[in-house]
Amino acid sequence: MKLLVTGAAGYVGSVCAAVLLEHGHDVTVIDNLSTGNREAIPSGARFVEGDVKDCVDSVLSEGNFDAVLHFAARSLVGESVEMPEEYWHGNVATTLALLDSMVAHNVSNLVFSSTAATYGEPASVPITEDFPTAPTNPYGATKLSIDYAITSYAHAHGIGATSLRYFNVAGAYGSIGENREIETHLIPLILQVALGHREKIFIFGDDWPTADGTAVRDYIHIRDLADAHLLALESNEPGTHRIYNLGSDDGYSVKQVIEACRTVTGHPIPAEVAPRRAGDPAVLIASSEKIMRELHWNPTRTDLNTIVRDAWEFTRQLGERAHSAPRG
Ligand code: UFG
């Protein structure tokens, strides 16, 4: 298929673009490089540098695009509380421009990168797709608003769309992994300690209502996540908007994640308890039963040590690249 992939300089978008190319698709990327890395864009893709809202119409007007995979977005919960305007304009307004352009140029297949943050603090786990959506931050609210927009565009204009609600994406795929200028995510931060780039990892709260007192999350391997995008792309039906959770149906506490990183890296990884982080729920675990049943999604890298091992391999490569890069 001839595909437009937005945000393919970011972590999730770049891995998905690489996997789409491996499956023989023709990939054009739009990314403004505001948070992504140019070198993460797979070499087989055509790259258009710029904002999606400015570039999408000229790209889609070339004709013959079969589908769009939309990853470009701001995605940090804390930042969204401090700078909501960046999220409403950057996420919602951008996606509306994309949808309008799809309608104008008869592109009717969309896969959208959504999030568990649309559910907010769940009353119980595992979270299924029919749980109430009550986001507790602007990031989740923008993604939920986009889901509403997609539903109405799908019905009115015959677009076949799937929103994939990611839980905690982690791991790496070959030479692509988590490589952000400002890192806030648990696994890459722990691995920076193992690499010697940080002194210790802070555990945000050990008084949560969980077995060991630390927060529990559902970690999903980035490569399994990419497979779900392929399945969604191939099965979208005109006029229908489907929503699926993507997780592993299992949860690990912050302490368990640190322990897995100690095992995989062989490094002691000093840890210190710090206050809870604002906006963090205690436990987030997905039910992915719906996508397994309907699209036959079959994640194969669900073991936490496998996820950490791939992330560690990438982190070490990154450390070596930084070390050997010319200075000045
Ligand atoms: N944590 C620490 N110390 C750290 C960093 C994180 O204890 O230095 C804890 C957090 O408090 C949380 C857990 O580790 O309990 C995971 O935190 P992450 O920042 O790695 O991920 P989040 O669960 O906060 O958020 C991720 C995505 C969001 C998405 C959310 C939905 O980054 O975009 O999952 O599940 F909305």
Side-chain angles (χ1 to χ4, degrees), residues 4-10 13 28-35 47-61 67-74 89-102 105 110-113 143 146:
L4 170 61
V5 181
T6 73
T28 297
V29 168
I30 302 179
D31 199 300
N32 64 8
L33 301 180
S34 64
T35 56
F47 176 40
V48 177
E49 183 175 345
D51 284 344
V52 171
K53 63 177 174 3
D54 300 331
C55 302
V56 66
D57 215 52
S58 78
V59 170
L60 292 186
S61 69
V68 175
L69 293 100
H70 182 38
F71 299 95
R74 295 245 181 194
H89 290 282
N91 293 355
V92 180
T94 295
T95 309
L96 294 177
L98 173 75
L99 287 167
D100 287 341
S101 189
M102 287 178 69
H105 301 292
L110 172 68
V111 181
F112 175 59
S113 172
K143 290 282 184 170
I146 293 168

Side-chain angles (χ1 to χ4, degrees), residues 129 162 164 223-237 242 244-247 288-301:
E129 292 80 355
T162 300
L164 297 172
R223 185 61 185 78
D224 285 337
L225 188 96
D227 279 341
H229 292 73
L230 281 168
L231 294 169
L233 178 69
E234 287 159 6
S235 59
N236 271 334
E237 289 167 18
R242 303 170 305 183
Y244 295 114
N245 290 343
L246 285 183
S288 300
E289 191 271 332
K290 186 179 172 198
I291 188 165
M292 288 176 167
R293 179 170 34 86
E294 294 188 2
L295 301 192
H296 309 296
W297 181 58
N298 179 26
T300 58
R301 300 160 186 88

Side-chain angles (χ1 to χ4, degrees), residues 112-270:
F112 175 59
S113 172
S114 187
T115 171
T118 50
Y119 295 108
E121 179 93 47
S124 63
V125 292
I127 300 169
T128 56
E129 292 80 355
D130 52 11
F131 266 44
T133 41
T136 52
N137 52 67
Y139 168 57
T142 61
K143 290 282 184 170
L144 181 61
S145 305
I146 293 168
D147 275 343
Y148 283 127
I150 292 174
T151 303
S152 48
Y153 273 71
H155 293 165
H157 301 294
I159 292 174
T162 300
S163 293
L164 297 172
R165 290 187 174 161
Y166 312 159
F167 281 62
N168 288 60
V169 190
Y173 183 52
S175 61
I176 318 176
E178 291 183 84
N179 178 17
R180 304 180 181 93
E181 205 170 317
I182 299 170
E183 189 52 77
T184 62
H185 294 85
L186 182 63
I187 292 178
L189 285 176
I190 299 173
L191 295 178
Q192 287 179 13
V193 179
L195 202 63
H197 290 181
R198 270 171 204 273
E199 198 188 325
K200 58 189 161 195
I201 184 74
F202 289 103
I203 298 172
F204 296 150
D206 67 350
D207 55 353
W208 297 97
T210 61
D212 66 14
T214 65
V216 170
R217 294 288 183 275
D218 183 343
Y219 294 88
I220 169 175
H221 195 291
I222 182 77
R223 185 61 185 78
D224 285 337
L225 188 96
D227 279 341
H229 292 73
L230 281 168
L231 294 169
L233 178 69
E234 287 159 6
S235 59
N236 271 334
E237 289 167 18
T240 305
H241 179 209
R242 303 170 305 183
I243 294 177
Y244 295 114
N245 290 343
L246 285 183
S248 70
D249 295 66
D250 207 355
Y252 293 96
S253 71
V254 172
K255 280 188 179 167
Q256 287 175 313
V257 175
I258 296 171
E259 210 43 59
C261 292
R262 287 178 179 140
T263 304
V264 167
T265 64
H267 189 281
I269 308 181

